[in-house]
Amino acid sequence: MTRTPTPSAPPAPRARSGALVPVLAFVGIVVSVMQTLLIPVLKDLPHLLGAEPDDASWVITSTLLAGSVATPIMGRLGDLHGKRRMLVLGLGAMVGGALVSALTSDLYVMIAGRTLQGLAMSAVPLGLGLMRDLLPREKLGMAMALVSSSMGIGSSLALPAAALVAQHLDWHALFYGSAGLGVLCIVLTLLVVPESSARVPGTFDVLGAIGLSAGLVLFLLPVSKGGSWGWTSGATLGLFAAAAVVLVLWGSWSYGSRHRW
């Protein structure tokens, strides 16, 4: 493993630091909107997608699973290659996923688009990391509290706004609107948020990332679907058991890899 010295991170330029926190908070609000975007039309999704209710619910579940997997992976990549770079990459995936969803009424294509949107859930932890690297210590506490609360703010704003749009426009307009907000987030991030020069030494553990992703999916899937599958069903208990095995193996691999290096 190649180890490189960690350069000291210079403070953010003063001209930008004033707008840094509002922009990152706005990004957090937009990302949280993606999670609750379809709640107002949830009961209509089976009809809109021509699918069974259990199958249509994957449009919601896929986003949550993708976000849970993406957050630790994007965080590690941000430490290695730049947090702003990964933030923009996640927002780009969100915009692409929103456009895919806006152009289809096919269940499986919709699930793919919603999975891409879930990758942006890493935006808030990446934003917190950027603030920790760029802001003076005396401003950090309040700034982190504001950005952390942006997820709740976005969720509370999204429900009535999405319901209003769905009531008066075609439901695909929800995705066009979210794509536009995502583009605005990318532009503001590139204009206002400087890249942090802080890096951590090391490499990206591909096998470890695959193991963690598999373990999280195997665990979160029965948590999300256990109510409809039955908490004592073979599928639910089997996935919980598989998650336990995979996560134990992943922990052993991660511990061993640190000592191998």
Side-chain angles (χ1 to χ4, degrees):
M1 177 173 66
T2 303
R3 294 189 177 273
T4 56
T6 304
S8 59
R14 292 298 177 185
R16 295 181 179 180
S17 62
L20 174 69
V21 176
V23 166
L24 291 176
F26 177 69
V27 169
I29 290 172
V30 171
V31 168
S32 66
V33 166
M34 301 299 135
Q35 312 313 311
T36 54
L37 189 66
L38 293 180
I39 298 300
V41 297
L42 184 60
K43 64 181 178 61
D44 298 320
L45 277 179
H47 170 70
L48 295 171
L49 297 173
E52 296 296 324
D54 283 349
D55 295 333
S57 66
W58 281 100
V59 174
I60 307 295
T61 304
S62 61
T63 308
L64 300 175
L65 292 177
S68 300
V69 169
T71 296
I73 292 176
M74 296 289 276
R76 175 60 176 169
L77 289 172
D79 290 337
L80 292 172
H81 304 297
K83 298 179 182 69
R84 187 183 78 154
R85 180 180 299 175
M86 292 302 112
L87 175 59
V88 171
L89 181 63
L91 292 171
M94 182 184 74
V95 171
L99 291 175
V100 168
S101 300
L103 296 171
T104 187
S105 293
D106 180 81
L107 173 65
Y108 298 105
V109 178
M110 181 69 69
I111 290 173
R114 291 288 291 164
T115 300
L116 285 173
Q117 290 175 61
L119 300 181
M121 284 183 67
S122 58
V124 170
L126 287 169
L128 295 175
L130 280 166
M131 290 192 304
R132 187 173 59 249
D133 294 340
L134 298 170
L135 289 179
R137 185 181 299 272
E138 62 272 14
K139 295 183 178 180
L140 188 57
M142 184 175 296
M144 294 185 74
L146 175 61
V147 173
S148 298
S149 66
S150 64
M151 296 292 284
I153 296 172
S155 297
S156 62
L157 293 175
L159 289 174
L164 185 64
V165 171
Q167 183 178 359
H168 296 285
L169 298 172
D170 180 81
W171 68 290
H172 290 94
L174 295 169
F175 297 112
Y176 285 115
S178 61
L181 289 173
V183 171
L184 179 59
C185 286
I186 292 173
V187 172
L188 290 174
T189 300
L190 293 174
L191 290 177
V192 173
V193 181
E195 179 62 276
S196 168
S197 62
R199 299 289 187 274
V200 298
T203 57
F204 184 72
D205 184 358
V206 177
L207 287 178
I210 293 173
L212 176 60
S213 300
L216 287 174
V217 170
L218 288 170
F219 176 74
L220 293 173
L221 185 55
V223 169
S224 301
K225 307 294 289 185
S228 57
W229 290 351
W231 292 106
T232 58
S233 68
T236 300
L237 296 178
L239 287 172
F240 276 133
V245 172
V246 170
L247 289 173
V248 168
L249 292 175
W250 169 77
S252 299
W253 166 263
S254 298
Y255 178 80
S257 64
R258 285 197 296 270
H259 287 271
R260 284 194 291 274
W261 297 119

